[in-house]
Structure formats: C-alpha cells, structure tokens
Amino acid sequence: QVHLQESGGGSVQAGDSLTLSCTGSGFSFNSSPMGWFRQAPGHACTMVSVIQRDGSLIYANSVKGRFTVSRDNVKNTVYLQMNDLKPDDTAKYTCAAGLYPDVDGPFHCYNDFNDWGMGTQVTVSS
C-alpha cells in the first residue's frame, strides 16, 4: 500500500524559507516521478514542481527561481526547498506519486498521479 507523508509546513513571514519533506513507502521510490501541488482556499489546485520520469525538473512559473525540488532515494524522501516566500504561496502543499503511464505533462491535480499525501499547510504573512 502506497503511503506519502508530508511534513515541514508552518507559519512564516514573507521572505522566509521553509523546506517541505515527503516520505514515501509501498512503491519503488527510486524510479518514481514525484510531484508537489498546492491549493489555497477558494483557488484551484495547481502544480508546483514535478520530478519527471527522466529526472528532469519542472516548476510553475510563479515559483521558478525561489523553489527547488530534490530527492533522497536512500531516505525515500522528496524535498521542496522554498525561499523568499510570499503571501501568495500560502496553501496546503501535497506530494504525489504514481504518475499514470500515458501522462507526460502538463500536470494536473488528482488526474495525473495515482497516489497523494494528506498535505501540509504553509502560511506566509506579510
């Protein structure tokens, strides 16, 4: 059974940094594309970053240059380093695994990955 557990969220000031973690189990983590998505109240869920099948990284335009995704295959963990946080980054951040075979981007919430964590809240105040 696939399990994804996020951690690292919190309440910070604009300009601060946070690192989110997502630890996976129950699947072949080393070869699995992984995604980070976020949803703020009243807004649609959107992609933040994805580690694609070939290992390449993609980011939403709104976070390019500020967020960095990485993975540690020994710890079965994917990270999202978030720098220079802005109030618009306030959302629940959720990681995803189990990319469907016929999906190759762009990536959409809940339609393209089979497995999802419960999410971790990030709140950025001005």
Side-chain angles (χ1 to χ4, degrees), residues 82-126:
M82 306 185 295
N83 297 327
D84 189 24
L85 282 160
K86 305 178 186 301
D88 284 349
D89 295 318
T90 295
K92 185 168 79 169
Y93 286 71
T94 305
C95 70
L99 182 65
Y100 292 122
D102 58 343
V103 176
D104 199 26
F107 300 100
H108 305 91
C109 288
Y110 304 114
N111 291 334
D112 297 337
F113 287 82
N114 186 64
D115 305 300
W116 295 81
M118 297 300 292
T120 186
Q121 179 67 34
V122 173
T123 302
V124 185
S125 56
S126 57

Side-chain angles (χ1 to χ4, degrees), residues 49-95:
S49 181
V50 169
I51 303 176
Q52 300 189 90
R53 288 190 182 85
D54 62 359
S56 60
L57 312 177
I58 60 172
Y59 296 93
N61 288 335
S62 58
V63 306
K64 280 181 182 176
R66 299 188 298 122
F67 289 14
T68 303
V69 65
S70 62
R71 70 192 302 160
D72 183 334
N73 288 335
V74 174
K75 296 182 178 180
N76 279 12
T77 299
V78 62
Y79 302 97
L80 185 67
Q81 171 70 43
M82 306 185 295
N83 297 327
D84 189 24
L85 282 160
K86 305 178 186 301
D88 284 349
D89 295 318
T90 295
K92 185 168 79 169
Y93 286 71
T94 305
C95 70

